[in-house]
Amino acid sequence: MQKFEKSRKLDHVSYDVRGPVVEEAARMAERNIQVLKLNIGNPAPFGFSAPQEIIDDMQRMLKDGEGYSDSKGVFSARKAIMQYCQLKKIPNVGIDDIYTGNGVSEMISMSMQGLLDAGDEILIPSPDYPLWTACATLAGGTVLHYRCAEENHWFPDLDDIESKITERTKGIVVINPNNPTGVLYPKEVLQGIVDIARRHRLIIFADEIYDRLVFDGKEHIAIASLCPDLFCVNFNGLSKSHRIAGFRSGWMCLSGDKEYAKGYIEGLNMLSAMRLCANVPAQLIIQTALGGIQSADELLLPGGRLYEQREFIVDALNKIPGISAVRPDAAFYIFPKIDTERYGIHDDEQLTLDFLHEQRVLLVPGKGFHLETPDHFRIVYLPDKATLATAMEKLEAFLKHYRQR
């Protein structure tokens, strides 16, 4: 009998957010062991409901979504996205520059497949949203991770970015607001990245899906708004801001100077047509979602659920001996640091696995976000404060006796 193995293209692909620790949690669930999952940014299971207007409009329009749409998406959705780009001051985006997708994840994969050949390089932050590294690697590219400095509020290290650019570097990925750190980049940091991209004629890939989930009255600046002379690929969607991750509603739009990227755009059009179209019912509610009052706003203000949960988790983590955490500016992630000398830690994956086994709480190790040092882990603070309090009590109790061998 012929034996089938996975493709060798996958040998160097790492997507550790769904790695060994998550697999062990799944096996525990199969044995009816209850696990508190603080590992994935999925709002719905924690009581964050979609806006009722979105549900009502999808029901009304469901019949209209039975057939294929244009491969780039339905007109009403792309028009709403184009107008949103105008509000964000993202320049030179027309209807034909917009591609709807089955979530941003599909668009990330498409953007990398259309760009990279063997030997081509792309800059991606560390820590990163690991799908970026996985998709770039699967496309045949070489990923160079640039450092984001915790001592500087997790902002990108501009000198490190510059030092890693070669003649084979095609682009730079900017995740802002950032996953996993929850940090929002100020204008001066974004301008520094733009200046580097301009000097080296790089494409900027702007992952901005959390731009509507920003705390403390801070303003998200679309990086493309700072560089109309450069070619940018911008990513956004409804999964997080509108709590409809399962609907798979995301998009990608091309902005700025497209003249020197004609070949790449031709490839994107080809890839878009090959998958026929994105989920049409989910496209039909984009206009509803982007118009009118944004329902997430009240969650982000003092007294709002996300705001209060952020305040709680920051204080609770910083009270645990050997744990420190930078206050997130956006989203619903926090990326605390653990004192590796105090706890004898040399393997963060083992740390999270041991914590899972003992306390039945699932976290993601920093390794899953391509962080080289074993001193961080990510917590999703979507559960209510009572549940988060229980998780922090378990973490503190675990660390009182924990030492790695």
Side-chain angles (χ1 to χ4, degrees):
M1 180 181 292
Q2 187 175 2
K3 185 177 180 180
F4 292 96
E5 301 286 352
K6 70 178 182 182
S7 167
R8 286 190 295 274
K9 294 194 299 292
L10 295 170
D11 286 347
H12 302 291
V13 173
S14 173
Y15 191 24
D16 287 338
V17 167
R18 306 182 189 278
V21 185
V22 175
E23 291 172 0
E24 176 61 13
R27 288 190 288 269
M28 292 170 67
E30 289 173 358
R31 303 196 302 273
N32 294 318
I33 299 173
Q34 188 171 5
V35 173
L36 173 56
K37 297 180 179 179
L38 304 181
N39 67 308
I40 190 166
N42 185 12
F46 299 107
F48 288 93
S49 299
Q52 189 60 43
E53 185 180 16
I54 285 180
I55 304 300
D56 292 343
D57 282 8
M58 178 175 273
Q59 289 175 337
R60 290 189 186 98
M61 295 186 289
L62 198 57
K63 188 71 177 173
D64 298 332
E66 291 181 336
Y68 296 130
S69 72
D70 181 283
S71 65
K72 290 184 178 181
V74 299
F75 178 82
S76 64
R78 287 190 288 156
K79 185 69 172 181
I81 294 165
M82 186 183 81
Q83 292 170 335
Y84 185 70
C85 288
Q86 292 169 352
L87 292 175
K88 298 290 291 187
K89 300 179 181 177
I90 299 174
N92 194 25
V93 178
I95 289 289
D96 288 337
D97 300 315
I98 296 166
Y99 305 75
T100 58
N102 297 303
V104 170
S105 299
E106 183 187 34
M107 300 286 91
I108 291 172
S109 178
M110 184 185 299
S111 71
M112 295 294 97
Q113 291 288 341
L115 178 74
L116 298 171
D117 289 318
D120 290 338
E121 297 172 353
I122 187 160
L123 292 159
I124 294 176
S126 171
D128 71 342
Y129 174 52
L131 185 68
W132 276 105
T133 295
C135 287
T137 303
L138 189 59
T142 298
V143 173
L144 298 175
H145 287 110
Y146 63 86
R147 179 174 179 264
C148 295
E150 183 174 21
E151 61 272 19
N152 190 28
H153 201 68
W154 288 114
F155 295 158
D157 184 329
L158 300 182
D159 291 336
D160 191 53
I161 291 173
E162 189 96 51
S163 72
K164 288 176 175 170
I165 296 173
T166 75
E167 61 181 12
R168 298 303 303 270
T169 308
K170 284 193 163 183
I172 180 169
V173 174
V174 180
I175 304 172
N176 178 44
N178 184 265
N179 175 11
T181 65
V183 163
L184 179 73
Y185 299 158
K187 184 176 181 178
E188 57 268 25
V189 170
L190 296 174
Q191 188 63 61
I193 295 172
V194 164
D195 292 343
I196 292 170
R198 184 175 288 121
R199 281 196 295 274
H200 299 277
R201 206 61 170 170
L202 302 180
I203 299 174
I204 295 175
F205 293 87
D207 183 343
E208 299 178 333
I209 194 169
Y210 299 100
D211 71 337
R212 293 179 297 280
L213 293 175
V214 176
F215 297 106
D216 305 322
K218 294 182 178 179
E219 178 190 6
H220 174 269
I221 298 171
I223 191 170
S225 69
L226 305 178
C227 49
D229 57 316
L230 298 182
F231 179 60
C232 297
V233 186
N234 308 275
F235 301 82
N236 215 315
L238 305 179
S239 293
K240 315 298 184 178
S241 61
H242 291 76
R243 289 86 68 200
I244 51 172
F247 285 22
R248 310 313 298 134
S249 184
W251 59 84
M252 171 177 74
C253 63
L254 314 180
S255 69
D257 183 3
K258 308 178 191 81
E259 188 64 28
Y260 65 96
K262 286 183 177 180
Y264 176 46
I265 295 170
E266 181 181 344
L268 291 177
N269 290 337
M270 185 183 302
L271 290 168
S272 177
M274 284 171 62
R275 51 90 207 233
L276 297 179
C277 69
N279 172 1
V280 178
Q283 292 184 54
L284 294 174
I285 50 87
I286 290 175
Q287 184 177 42
T288 297
L290 292 181
I293 296 171
Q294 295 302 296
S295 61
D297 289 353
E298 62 187 34
L299 300 172
L300 305 167
L301 298 172
R305 187 174 159 188
L306 277 179
Y307 179 93
E308 297 301 330
Q309 288 169 196
R310 179 195 65 161
E311 296 301 285
F312 175 84
I313 198 72
V314 169
D315 292 343
L317 283 167
N318 284 309
K319 287 177 182 176
I320 298 175
I323 300 288
S324 60
V326 173
R327 183 181 300 274
D329 303 309
F332 32 69
Y333 308 113
I334 192 166
F335 201 54
K337 183 176 183 178
I338 186 165
D339 187 334
T340 54
E341 290 190 11
R342 182 185 185 115
Y343 297 107
I345 293 169
H346 54 83
D347 185 339
D348 54 343
E349 189 170 80
Q350 188 62 50
L351 167 68
T352 53
L353 190 60
D354 292 340
F355 184 49
L356 172 66
H357 284 149
E358 180 179 316
Q359 297 291 344
R360 300 178 181 180
V361 178
L362 177 58
L363 308 176
V364 183
K367 176 183 178 182
F369 305 98
H370 299 100
L371 194 71
E372 293 183 353
T373 54
D375 53 358
H376 285 82
F377 51 90
R378 190 188 73 172
I379 296 175
V380 175
Y381 56 87
L382 284 169
D384 59 48
K385 284 199 290 185
T387 303
L388 291 174
T390 298
M392 293 303 97
E393 289 167 4
K394 289 185 173 186
L395 179 60
E396 186 169 13
F398 171 76
L399 290 176
K400 281 181 178 179
H401 66 82
Y402 185 74
R403 300 296 182 276
Q404 275 189 3
R405 291 184 171 85

